[in-house]
Amino acid sequence: MANTIDKGIISGRVVEEVGGLSIPSAVISIYLDLSEQPIITASTDDDGHFSIKNLKAGNYSVRVSFVGYAPLKVNGITITEKDFDKNLGTLKLGSDQNTLGEVTITVQKPPIEFGADGITYNVGSSLLAEGSTATDVLKNVPMVQVDIDGNATIAGKRNTRIFIDGKPSDYMTSNISDLLNVLPSDAIEKIEVLTNPPSKYSGDGEGIINIVMKKGFKVGFNGNAGISSGLQGNSNANANGSYRGKNYSINGSGAYRFNIGKGDNHNYRENFFPDTTFYYDQYGGYKNLNNGANFRVGLDWDITPKQSLRVSTNFNNNNSNTNSSNDLHYLSEDLAEQKLRNQLNTGDGSSNNFVFNSDYDLQTDTSGGKISIGLTVSTNKNLDFRDYSTTYAQPSNSNPTLQQNSNNTGNNGVTFNLDYEKPIFKKRDRVEAGLAYNYRKNDNDLAIENYNFTTQQFIKNIKLSNQFLYNENIFAGYASYNFRSTGWGAKAGMRAELTDVAFDLSTGENYNVKPYLSLFPNLSLNRFFRKRYNFGATYSIRVNRPRENTLNPQVNNVDTLNISYGNPDLLPAYTHQMEINFGAFGQKWSFNPRLSYSTSRGVIERFRTVTLIPGTSTARSESTFDNVGTNNSLALILIGNYRPTNKISANGNFSVIQSNYTSKLNSSLNRDGLSFRAAMGFSMQLPFKTAFESNLNYANNTNAQGRNKGSMTSNFSARKVFFGNRLNFRITLNDIFGNRSNTFFNEGTNFRLENYSTNNTQNFVFSLNYRFTKIRVNKTPIPPPPATMDPK
């Protein structure tokens, strides 16, 4: 060889493809190009690491093998005088595939992958994701914010939709947070944050969070089972497994979760009127007992080399029991107490949903043409029953009140899609086109009864009780063209949707929305250069359609001084959004700044007004949704990762969003504001098969009428593995700096409101997880691995 340097290094780590646990004593063989015999043979240490040193300049390949696993070969490794340290990252070995005709080589994906249209978070790379739920995982995903109620949104997006395997989950359940709070993280492969969703997806929402479930593994039976428990009484049990034959796989998961929620809140409102000023000072607390179960079963079947069928079902069930109380102090202009109202509330709730998905793929030609047919059927039922008892400690002669609310809600949906794709120019591009139909029906039956102390009977409140019926039909068609060349990628698409909505109340009001046609262009450009930089730019139009939760005019009068209801006159809000992003990648680091701008007309947000009740000196707050006006938003998002060694990784992301609201509805809505979100993460592999990971988050968001300010949230987790990496024990400290709190400021022309709330999120959680694998063993004997050899 021309070069005589001998300082080259090839290193990496060998793990199991399923679960990512290290493989000690795996055989590492180093080959020179065109050589049939290895020049060096070594083995991995207890943590699966290897490092081959003192290599001369040249072209190499690495072969990794271990009993019971398919060998893996990595080609194209070039060592030069300037580039002599080659870290192959994490190499994943799959179970032995000697019954199949080919071997699949899999190299571990990085924890975060960047693209012009969004980012991908690979769940298996996170220690904090083990033995938890989808909600817990989402808290650690860059650009994603999870609020105190478990609702996830993308930074800079007012309307985010949650998808599961490319299908919208908001059609599956009346409360998405209930579903995510019991969906086991061990069944999740990755989470995609799509800031510019492809044209094949519905135009709804300014962004999509797509949770991709594991589909099955290599030949044999694989799975895991785990339990966790917290000092507050919270507990979780989950299991998932997969069996794969030659042309099919069956996978499933189950989970059960019990949660105890406690919290306090303080609400202070100043009421300003021309001839009087007074104050409401309210203190409250609650305790929730929640339990839920989730079951998923899937079948992947390769019918023929050209046909495949995937079928999956999901069932989710949740039950809750709630007790809460609040004391409302009426204060005069000089802050003297004039009234004191006490309210005790109890509630029982239950919900269940069932979803059936089927997808059929047919390869139409040898060049990659494919037809896909998908069908989703979902049904959801939710029953909520609550008692409200109100008394007055001052003045003592005020009459008490008793009220019962029963809310029975049903959701049914059907989605059908037909998609076709085909490359044209030697697989450098792809044409996609498709049709879709979506039907949704919501039935919300609200019955309110007030207690008559004279007859000692509950009497139905005719004015407030009614049934809301909602029907939605959306017909859609799309076409897109994707082109890839050396270093370049471009995409252009158009989606058209015809929306037909009708809803009515049992009291006789009918609302027929005139069918409307919407067009959603989608453009994307990517440029990769010098093997370490990328540039991307996107443009799209998205829509926020008003649906049953915002249209339903049923009145919630749980607190008679703070009522809320929907607005049946809402119009869809359209958003034009543009984004540019830049990525730089080094051997030990990555940095991805993103700049986005959006303009929205007819923004749908909650709007509050305060008025005097006629004939009284009492002010009532009425909260509803409205097309509050126009919002122009500019967001800067910074995402970075640094890996100084194979055992240490740090990541962070920061978002700052400037929002400008203008409105003809109310002068108080003309405002500017900054929103902030920051997160930091750190992980470390330690000796004795232990590991540590931590995450810190903070969010402070503005809206049309105020600001929502959260506290710092934190997660610290440590893990140790036993029994050949099959059993791992993990301890997690949630919010060690204090319980999670939230402060909400709201302001109008005649009021100022401040609400402070806190939840019992501070907790110590202990988890055990066991991985089991039954695989075919290669009958060809492999010699025992020798000790690490010095290449000299």
Side-chain angles (χ1 to χ4, degrees):
M1 298 175 60
N3 289 314
T4 59
I5 65 165
D6 57 358
K7 62 179 182 179
I9 301 173
I10 297 178
S11 61
R13 184 179 180 228
V14 181
V15 302
E16 297 175 355
E17 182 180 26
V18 181
L21 297 179
S22 60
I23 299 179
S25 301
V27 179
I28 309 297
S29 303
I30 307 296
Y31 295 78
L32 276 170
D33 265 12
L34 304 179
S35 173
E36 296 180 358
Q37 297 295 326
I39 62 170
I40 299 172
T41 303
S43 61
T44 57
D45 63 19
D46 288 345
D47 288 323
H49 293 285
F50 67 89
S51 180
I52 310 299
K53 300 179 180 179
N54 302 322
L55 295 172
K56 296 182 179 182
N59 298 319
Y60 296 86
S61 63
V62 173
R63 187 178 187 271
V64 184
S65 60
F66 189 68
V67 176
Y69 291 83
L72 182 151
K73 192 172 185 180
V74 182
N75 296 316
I77 304 171
T78 301
I79 292 178
T80 66
E81 187 173 359
K82 293 183 178 180
D83 189 10
F84 59 88
D85 190 350
K86 294 293 185 179
N87 186 341
L88 304 182
T90 301
L91 306 177
K92 292 185 177 182
L93 293 190
S95 57
D96 188 7
Q97 294 185 343
N98 56 358
T99 61
L100 298 179
E102 62 182 21
V103 174
T104 300
I105 297 177
T106 305
V107 179
Q108 185 195 36
K109 296 179 180 179
I112 303 171
E113 297 179 74
F114 305 102
D117 300 316
I119 65 169
T120 298
Y121 179 81
N122 294 301
V123 174
S125 302
S126 171
L127 174 63
L128 287 167
E130 294 179 358
S132 57
T133 67
T135 300
D136 300 322
V137 176
L138 285 168
K139 294 176 182 177
N140 302 314
V141 178
M143 297 177 64
V144 173
Q145 177 187 341
V146 181
D147 67 16
I148 205 164
D149 297 316
N151 300 307
T153 56
I154 300 174
K157 309 294 184 183
R158 284 173 300 279
N159 183 26
T160 300
R161 302 184 71 197
I162 308 296
F163 278 36
I164 296 178
D165 282 336
K167 305 293 179 69
S169 66
D170 45 4
Y171 296 165
M172 305 176 188
T173 175
S174 59
N175 190 343
I176 297 174
S177 62
D178 285 343
L179 174 63
L180 299 180
N181 210 33
V182 77
L183 190 65
S185 63
D186 294 304
I188 300 173
E189 178 182 345
K190 60 184 178 181
I191 295 177
E192 299 172 332
V193 181
L194 304 176
T195 55
N196 182 42
S199 296
K200 68 181 298 181
Y201 288 149
S202 166
D204 280 295
E206 296 177 18
I208 291 174
I209 298 173
N210 184 33
I211 300 173
V212 181
M213 309 301 293
K214 293 178 180 176
K215 306 298 189 300
F217 309 106
K218 301 302 179 184
V219 174
F221 184 50
N222 309 268
N224 67 65
I227 58 173
S228 66
S229 181
L231 294 183
Q232 294 190 5
N234 303 341
S235 60
N236 180 295
N238 66 85
N240 68 81
S242 171
Y243 177 80
R244 183 171 181 85
K246 184 175 182 180
N247 61 348
Y248 72 93
S249 69
I250 301 174
N251 57 82
S253 67
Y256 172 80
R257 183 178 180 91
F258 176 77
N259 182 65
I260 299 175
K262 300 177 183 178
D264 300 293
N265 65 80
H266 178 209
N267 190 313
Y268 187 77
R269 193 173 87 209
E270 303 173 71
N271 306 280
F272 308 106
F273 292 96
D275 54 353
T276 182
T277 298
F278 53 95
Y279 309 89
Y280 291 158
D281 196 14
Q282 183 170 328
Y283 296 85
Y286 73 91
K287 180 178 180 179
N288 292 338
L289 302 178
N290 300 280
N291 65 83
N294 177 269
F295 302 96
R296 297 178 64 87
V297 177
L299 168 68
D300 292 354
W301 179 25
D302 296 328
I303 305 171
T304 69
K306 294 184 177 181
Q307 299 180 80
S308 65
L309 175 68
R310 180 176 174 234
V311 177
S312 65
T313 63
N314 179 85
F315 176 77
N316 194 68
N317 181 74
N318 288 277
N319 297 282
S320 65
N321 178 270
T322 306
N323 290 278
S324 64
S325 64
N326 63 72
D327 300 323
L328 178 61
H329 302 264
Y330 298 68
L331 306 179
S332 65
E333 189 168 5
D334 57 0
L335 300 180
E337 183 172 272
Q338 295 183 329
K339 295 181 183 179
L340 173 58
R341 187 193 72 183
N342 310 112
Q343 189 176 61
L344 299 176
N345 309 323
T346 61
D348 291 291
S350 64
S351 67
N352 62 79
N353 66 80
F354 176 79
V355 181
F356 171 83
N357 281 308
S358 64
D359 294 282
Y360 170 79
D361 293 335
L362 172 64
Q363 184 178 339
T364 59
D365 53 58
T366 58
S367 64
K370 185 177 72 171
I371 292 177
S372 301
I373 301 174
L375 176 68
T376 301
V377 179
S378 63
T379 179
N380 168 262
K381 295 182 180 180
N382 185 80
L383 179 62
D384 189 37
F385 181 83
R386 299 188 181 273
D387 277 321
Y388 306 99
S389 174
T390 305
T391 58
Y392 292 85
Q394 181 183 348
S396 57
N397 59 349
S398 298
N399 295 324
T401 62
L402 293 176
Q403 181 173 301
Q404 291 182 346
N405 289 16
S406 178
N407 199 185
N408 192 352
T409 306
N411 284 286
N412 297 288
V414 176
T415 300
F416 172 81
N417 61 275
L418 174 64
D419 302 290
Y420 175 74
E421 62 178 79
K422 179 179 173 61
I424 299 177
F425 301 112
K426 298 180 181 180
K427 298 186 178 181
R428 291 180 302 168
D429 64 352
R430 187 171 72 254
V431 172
E432 295 180 335
L435 299 172
Y437 168 69
N438 178 260
Y439 169 75
R440 296 185 62 230
K441 179 181 179 180
N442 175 266
D443 184 348
N444 188 319
D445 191 0
L446 176 64
I448 297 179
E449 296 181 324
N450 298 109
Y451 189 72
N452 187 311
F453 286 90
T454 302
T455 62
Q456 297 188 351
Q457 291 180 324
F458 278 98
I459 308 298
K460 188 173 184 178
N461 188 322
I462 303 299
K463 293 183 178 180
L464 296 179
S465 300
N466 56 67
Q467 187 174 12
F468 177 79
L469 299 171
Y470 175 89
N471 287 275
E472 175 186 274
N473 293 274
I474 299 178
F475 304 87
Y478 78 93
S480 67
Y481 178 74
N482 299 347
F483 177 77
R484 301 185 307 276
S485 183
T486 305
W488 286 93
K491 177 178 66 177
M494 176 67 75
R495 185 180 182 92
E497 295 182 350
L498 179 65
T499 305
D500 184 13
V501 171
F503 54 97
D504 59 76
L505 294 172
S506 59
T507 52
E509 294 93 338
N510 294 311
Y511 302 89
N512 290 300
V513 179
K514 184 178 179 180
Y516 56 93
L517 179 68
S518 303
L519 298 177
F520 304 102
N522 185 299
L523 302 172
S524 177
L525 179 67
N526 293 277
R527 173 71 170 113
F528 295 87
F529 51 98
R530 296 186 181 179
K531 297 182 179 181
R532 62 182 302 175
Y533 303 106
N534 79 283
F535 172 82
T538 66
Y539 167 77
S540 63
I541 297 179
R542 310 291 296 174
V543 65
N544 180 13
R545 290 184 178 90
R547 288 197 163 94
E548 62 272 15
N549 292 333
T550 55
L551 294 170
N552 188 350
Q554 292 174 340
V555 176
N556 180 345
N557 74 329
V558 171
D559 184 345
T560 56
L561 297 181
N562 294 279
I563 67 174
S564 60
Y565 47 87
N567 180 1
D569 297 320
L570 287 174
L571 299 174
Y574 293 91
T575 299
H576 296 252
Q577 51 188 29
M578 293 149 278
E579 183 172 282
I580 58 174
N581 70 87
F582 176 78
F585 309 91
Q587 186 175 7
K588 298 181 179 181
W589 58 273
S590 65
F591 180 58
N592 182 243
R594 313 175 78 93
L595 184 66
S596 66
Y597 174 79
S598 67
T599 178
S600 303
R601 297 185 180 277
V603 174
I604 299 174
E605 286 193 15
R606 188 173 288 280
F607 176 62
R608 186 190 305 272
T609 58
V610 172
T611 58
L612 280 173
I613 299 176
T616 71
S617 59
T618 302
R620 179 171 62 201
S621 164
E622 296 190 15
S623 176
T624 187
F625 295 92
D626 216 318
N627 296 104
V628 296
T630 299
N631 175 255
N632 297 317
S633 178
L634 181 65
L636 174 64
I637 302 170
L638 306 176
I639 306 172
N641 178 270
Y642 177 57
R643 292 176 176 267
T645 71
N646 290 339
K647 296 185 177 182
I648 298 176
S649 176
N651 64 81
N653 63 91
F654 173 76
S655 305
V656 57
I657 303 142
Q658 169 68 41
S659 298
N660 176 265
Y661 287 91
T662 57
S663 175
K664 297 179 180 178
L665 181 68
N666 191 296
S667 60
S668 66
L669 298 176
N670 295 320
R671 65 172 67 229
D672 296 334
L674 286 173
S675 298
F676 302 95
R677 183 187 185 275
M680 294 188 300
F682 178 81
S683 63
M684 176 184 294
Q685 297 289 331
L686 300 172
F688 308 109
K689 296 184 179 182
T690 58
F692 169 80
E693 187 167 298
S694 64
N695 190 275
L696 300 174
N697 288 273
Y698 174 78
N700 189 331
N701 301 311
T702 187
N703 57 46
Q705 235 182 338
R707 176 171 294 279
N708 200 326
K709 180 181 178 182
S711 62
M712 176 73 73
T713 63
S714 63
N715 301 89
F716 297 88
S717 186
R719 180 191 68 185
K720 180 172 176 56
V721 296
F722 305 89
F723 304 123
N725 296 335
R726 297 299 181 193
L727 179 70
N728 72 70
F729 171 73
R730 182 169 60 98
I731 180 172
T732 300
L733 287 67
N734 294 322
D735 293 331
I736 192 172
F737 303 117
N739 283 328
R740 189 173 185 181
S741 63
N742 190 74
T743 304
F744 175 69
F745 300 95
N746 202 220
E747 186 175 10
T749 55
N750 59 356
F751 73 93
R752 281 198 300 265
L753 181 149
E754 180 178 346
N755 178 276
Y756 176 81
S757 60
T758 183
N759 294 63
N760 65 322
T761 55
Q762 190 177 50
N763 200 8
F764 290 78
V765 181
F766 304 89
S767 303
L768 278 175
N769 192 73
Y770 180 77
R771 295 196 60 258
F772 49 88
T773 304
K774 185 177 181 180
I775 57 177
R776 298 178 185 270
V777 178
N778 193 336
K779 296 180 181 179
T780 303
I782 297 179
T788 302
M789 299 177 59
D790 190 331
K792 293 182 179 179

